[in-house]
Every structure is written in structure tokens, then in C-alpha cells.
Amino acid sequence: AVVSTQSTGRMSGVLNVVIGGGTGNIGKYLASSLLAAGHNVSIVSRGAWSRNKAASQGEPGKEIRGHRVPHSYISWKDIEKGGLPLETDVVINLSGKSIGQPGFWVKSLKKTIYDSRIDTTKKLATAIERSESPPKVFISASAVGAYSLDPDKVYTEADVPVESGKETFFTDLCRDWEASSTLPEGCPTRVVNPRFGVVLAHDTDPLKLLLKLAITGSSVVGSGKQPFPWIHMKDAVQAVHTCIEDESVQGPVNLVAPQIVDNKQFTHALANACLAGVQKVNLPEFLVRLMYGTERADCILLDSPKVAPQKLLDLGFQFQYEDVDSAMRDIVEAECKEGGVLNMYMRKKKG
């Protein structure tokens, strides 16, 4: 790879990038963006399935259904046994089972959610430690769930994530997730932990469902006053580019939009973008707890921390979507381009 560190403190040239979780909601967008920028991208995925998928998708960089084909797929066993590919410049881990699907946080599900993040991060960290030529940077995902649920505080990266006695499964998960990316003293690889808010894109499962429901009227969840830390997918991807390229960036980085909104504001932004209404009756808290379980509902759906992207703002990062209304308009437009029920509804509303 051609990597040059200029006087500006930024990486440049063609980078060799390895992404764990590169086929997930964020990973597929990030991989496509890196490929479009001319970088070489390899995806770490599961065993034989990944090899078969690579063989069937054709030319690297080719766009298929809106996303680009990576240069290769690598199994997690390959990483464990053989380490990173030679001349790897950037390692990114976005792996982890979704926390958004309905259901109770029973012990087995908690273990799967936990292990799918911690184990994969440790495997990549170990591979970096053993590399004869360590990568320049390790981008290891985390989430705004690291922070306490203090309604009077806006959290930045400078804050202690969670006060003693206020821990939850989610805060413990994020703490251990970030800790598992720690590299030994003396390792030259820079470590960055992007703490993602809710990443909004039209073709992710949660938002596809919300867009469909919006036609019949969106529902404010619970009181509607709970914070909704969010970021548009395009801004999230560009923020990760910044974390890769700017060598001054390290440690936690909040990946959220600068506009702090609550669930009611988000719901109205969604409804307005769809030219639809909002249900007069909010979705009751007891029903949310019944669907998701009390523990999950109380620390994700019925409450969230207020978070500011202070490091990105200090770097002069330019958000393409600073407010939730413009973000939702763009997302609805993207969904309508694919046709379907929402497109038919919107065309009818517009006459």
C-alpha cells in the first residue's frame, strides 16, 4: 500500500483495509465508500460461506444493488491462524449481533450480543499484536450506550462514560467492547473507538419497518421526551473516513449529529418526510416493555443519553445532515427511488 504521512498529519494514498462486520448495516456502506475512494477492501466473515460469496459476486469494486464488491473475503479462522493479510494499513471492526430486534434480553441472547462483539474485537487485536508490520490504525466500534442516562447532562468524549452504581448491561457491554480493543504498550497502531448513535439509512431493517408504518401514522414511543441520539449513514461513513485519515484522532469519538432531538421530534420528522400524520396516542411504555423486555426497553427505547460529537466538531468536520428533518427527507427520497408501497403512497399524496 502507498501510505504517506504528510506534514498535515493525515494518511493518504491507497490503503489496504480489513473490515470485520463488513456485510452489516454500516459495514456495507463503509466498504462501498472505501472502494469508491480507490482503497483495497477485504471483508472478514464466516468460513466457507464468505468464500462462496466472494466467488459469486464478480469483479472487485463493481457496484451491485447499490453496494460495491470487496477485493476478498477472509474467514475468522484465517485471522486466528494466519493473522492479518500482508501490508494491512487499516483494521476496522463493526461486528456484532443486532440489539434492535424485539425480544427479551434473556441470558442466552445477552451472551450472543456480548460475545459477537468482544470475541471478534479480541481476535483482531491479537492479530494486530502479532503482526510484523502492524496497521496504522484500528477502528473498533462502540456505541453511545456507554454513557449514563442522566437527563440533565450532555455527554462528550471527555466525560466519564458511566458513574458508579448506574451501570446497565448496555454500559458494561460498551466498556468491555472498548477495552477489548486495547493494544499493548509500544504497539504503534492508533486505536479509535467510534461511539455510534442510531445510524439512519433507508435500507436498514429498523428504518424499513418504520417507513412502512409511517404510511398509517407514526407513533411516539412512551413519553416521547427521551433523547434520540442519531446520525445519517452518509455522515457516519465520512466520520469513519476522518478517524482513519486524521492521525490526531484516537480514543472514543461520538458519532452523532450535532442536533440533539427527542423521540417525539424524530417521530414528527419521519412523519413529515413521508407526508403522513402522527398517531394521537403514544405507544404505551408497558407495551414497549412487553415487546422488548423491561431491561432492553428502559435503556434503549424509553431512555437514551444526550450526546454531542465534540471531537468531530473540534476537528471542523462538516456534517451533511445536521438536522433530523433534512436527514429524514433524504432517507425517504432514497427509499422511494426503489419503488414499493411508500413510493406509491408519496406519489398519491403529491397528486
Side-chain angles (χ1 to χ4, degrees):
V2 180
V3 182
S4 60
T5 303
Q6 303 174 346
S7 58
T8 56
R10 299 185 70 87
M11 294 170 61
S12 63
V14 178
L15 303 173
N16 293 325
V17 184
V18 171
I19 306 178
T23 58
N25 286 338
I26 301 171
K28 62 187 179 184
Y29 278 94
L30 178 59
S32 291
S33 177
L34 289 166
L35 286 160
H39 301 304
N40 301 319
V41 176
S42 297
I43 304 295
V44 188
S45 196
R46 289 189 291 271
W49 173 85
S50 63
R51 299 185 190 282
N52 293 334
K53 186 170 183 178
S56 67
Q57 287 201 1
E59 182 181 350
K62 181 180 179 181
E63 190 168 319
I64 299 177
R65 293 186 295 278
H67 298 287
R68 296 177 185 270
V69 178
H71 290 79
S72 65
Y73 286 84
I74 312 167
S75 73
W76 285 103
K77 287 185 178 179
D78 290 337
I79 292 292
E80 287 184 272
K81 293 180 179 179
L84 298 171
L86 293 174
E87 298 185 344
T88 296
D89 302 303
V90 180
V91 175
I92 302 170
N93 194 31
L94 302 169
S95 298
K97 181 176 175 60
S98 172
I99 61 169
Q101 298 172 347
F104 287 68
W105 263 347
V106 295
K107 188 174 181 179
S108 59
L109 179 57
K110 281 185 175 182
K111 178 173 171 53
T112 301
I113 290 171
Y114 185 94
D115 291 348
S116 64
R117 288 164 171 76
I118 309 304
D119 290 353
T120 55
T121 305
K122 286 182 177 179
K123 286 174 183 176
L124 290 171
T126 299
I128 291 171
E129 292 175 32
R130 294 176 178 174
S131 176
E132 293 183 4
S133 179
K136 303 292 184 183
V137 60
F138 181 23
I139 309 290
S140 184
S142 183
V144 296
Y147 297 109
S148 291
L149 303 174
D150 186 339
D152 299 319
K153 186 172 181 61
V154 176
Y155 288 92
T156 72
E157 297 88 347
D159 290 307
V160 175
V162 59
E163 292 83 0
S164 177
K166 296 184 178 180
E167 298 90 348
T168 65
F169 169 71
F170 206 12
T171 60
D172 289 347
L173 170 65
C174 292
R175 177 200 63 208
D176 294 350
W177 198 2
E178 294 180 15
S180 64
S181 69
T182 303
L183 299 174
E185 187 175 350
C187 180
T189 302
R190 179 168 52 93
V191 180
V192 183
N193 298 117
R195 290 174 176 165
F196 287 94
V198 179
V199 182
L200 303 177
H202 78 102
D203 59 350
T204 57
D205 291 337
L207 209 53
K208 269 194 174 296
L209 176 61
L210 287 176
L211 289 169
K212 289 178 181 177
L213 294 175
I215 295 174
T216 58
S218 301
S219 294
V220 174
V221 177
S223 70
K225 297 178 181 179
Q226 66 272 35
F228 187 85
W230 67 279
I231 187 169
H232 193 293
M233 181 67 79
K234 293 176 184 176
D235 285 327
V237 167
Q238 286 306 308
V240 175
H241 275 267
T242 296
C243 292
I244 292 171
E245 296 163 8
D246 192 322
E247 296 186 314
S248 71
V249 180
Q250 59 184 338
V253 179
N254 294 337
L255 263 61
V256 294
Q259 183 194 37
I260 296 175
V261 301
D262 58 26
N263 179 268
K264 182 178 180 180
Q265 290 170 295
F266 167 74
T267 303
H268 280 268
L270 170 63
N272 291 338
C274 294
L275 304 180
V278 175
Q279 297 285 357
K280 293 182 179 180
V281 178
N282 293 6
L283 187 64
E285 292 185 1
F286 82 86
L287 189 56
V288 179
R289 293 188 176 104
L290 189 64
M291 294 169 60
Y292 288 87
T294 298
E295 185 177 20
R296 189 194 297 204
D298 285 352
C299 70
I300 296 180
L301 297 169
L302 298 175
D303 206 353
S304 286
K306 292 179 182 177
V307 183
Q310 195 60 52
K311 279 191 178 180
L312 290 177
L313 293 174
D314 291 345
L315 288 168
F317 181 82
Q318 296 296 310
F319 286 87
Q320 191 173 350
Y321 300 95
E322 293 188 343
D323 64 276
V324 72
D325 292 292
S326 64
M328 293 313 302
R329 285 194 297 269
D330 177 77
I331 287 166
V332 169
E333 182 180 341
E335 177 67 15
C336 287
K337 285 180 180 178
E338 296 190 0
V341 176
L342 181 60
N343 181 53
M344 294 172 60
Y345 172 83
M346 294 284 287
R347 290 176 64 181
K348 184 177 179 181
K349 291 288 287 188
K350 291 177 179 179

